[in-house]
Amino acid sequence: MGTFAAAPAAPAAQSAVTAGACSVDTAARGIATAPSGSPVSVPRADGRVDQFQVFYDSTATQGLPFVWHRAQAAPGGSYGAWERVSAGTVGPKASFVTAVENAAGGLEVFWLDHGGFCHSVQGPAGGPWSAPEDFGLRPSPYHGFLVLFKRSNGTLIAMASSGKPDRSMESRTQLSSDGVWRPADSLGKVPDELVGLSQPDTVTELADHRLKVTAREWNRDRYWQITEVAPNDGLPSGWWPAQWQLCATRECA
């Protein structure tokens, strides 16, 4: 496996720092020692596939792994060497990573960091990744991870359950026209105060381009659904109904 050319190690006392509320380990040298979980594949518009993988690093001072990336040079071709995305650490309770190609042809990767999600972007031409930034969505403990969905018009939506009192889930939208992530919006509230949702189970774009989302309660086999009032075009916000509806079946038919 390839290695990442990192800066010389800093003293251990200075190795654990925060970059935009994202935890980083600046002393780790970038050695992909052992994988955690399976690779996440991201199909590209040009037919290539990129992959992301969480790797532990034997030189890490915090014992936490990092996100690495590799890409095909041509559709169906071999992958290049693994390269570390950043010194941003993953975990500690789960090694979650997900990624997507945006409308401009760049890559956006998200990973779990102490209960919230961090975010980094690579431009369409490749090259260095942006510094890790806090993405702002933070589920309650054990309520799942982040789910990404690309609409047919290229708009991206990120969704995660929420522990805020006025919402059971929230979302952020990135329009294909400008590539900017909008602030988090409420994605409805389950009417039962004692119920919490996990991450979305399914996200479906209907024929009229509205999204339908289903989600399981985080601690039992009961499902809820919500459908957009109108497709979100970015302005104004608030396209989701106020409340989720209980499903009659697991499929929420």
Side-chain angles (χ1 to χ4, degrees):
M1 289 176 288
T3 59
F4 176 82
Q14 303 296 322
S15 63
V17 299
T18 300
C22 292
S23 300
V24 299
D25 185 344
T26 58
R29 297 202 304 268
I31 300 174
T33 305
S36 177
S38 302
V40 173
S41 295
V42 179
R44 307 298 297 271
D46 61 8
R48 294 180 298 122
V49 175
D50 284 49
Q51 288 189 330
F52 294 86
Q53 171 80 59
V54 175
F55 283 100
Y56 282 93
D57 184 337
S58 59
T59 67
T61 64
Q62 301 176 46
L64 296 177
F66 305 86
V67 179
W68 292 62
H69 165 253
R70 67 178 183 178
Q72 288 180 327
S78 60
Y79 286 95
W82 286 107
E83 295 184 346
R84 196 178 69 172
V85 169
S86 73
T89 56
V90 182
K93 293 185 177 180
S95 294
F96 170 80
V97 61
T98 189
V100 68
E101 183 180 43
N102 59 33
L107 287 171
E108 310 212 11
V109 60
F110 305 78
W111 62 93
L112 184 68
D113 175 50
H114 293 84
F117 301 101
C118 287
H119 172 231
S120 186
V121 180
Q122 184 187 60
W129 292 83
S130 64
E133 292 186 337
D134 182 5
F135 193 61
L137 302 184
R138 181 172 290 271
S140 298
Y142 310 109
H143 284 219
F145 301 120
L146 182 76
V147 171
L148 300 170
F149 184 83
K150 182 180 289 188
R151 297 174 183 264
S152 57
N153 66 358
T155 295
L156 298 178
I157 182 168
M159 292 165 279
S161 66
S162 174
K164 296 179 181 178
D166 65 334
R167 61 192 64 178
S168 298
M169 191 172 290
E170 53 188 342
S171 65
R172 294 189 66 182
T173 296
Q174 182 193 98
L175 300 185
S176 58
S177 57
D178 60 16
V180 176
W181 285 101
R182 266 49 179 181
D185 281 329
S186 171
L187 209 163
K189 173 76 173 172
V190 171
D192 188 336
E193 292 295 330
L194 301 179
V195 169
L197 296 180
S198 186
Q199 68 195 49
D201 249 57
T202 65
V203 184
T204 306
E205 186 174 56
L206 305 177
D208 60 4
H209 303 299
R210 293 180 300 145
L211 295 187
K212 175 183 176 182
V213 180
T214 70
R216 178 183 177 272
E217 291 184 27
W218 77 275
N219 61 347
R220 64 172 171 173
D221 288 326
R222 200 165 69 157
Y223 291 80
W224 297 77
Q225 66 177 345
I226 195 167
T227 303
E228 279 183 309
V229 175
N232 190 343
D233 60 5
L235 294 172
S237 61
W239 293 105
W240 295 98
Q243 292 190 338
W244 289 67
Q245 296 180 329
L246 185 64
C247 296
T249 67
R250 177 188 176 99
E251 291 76 23
C252 292

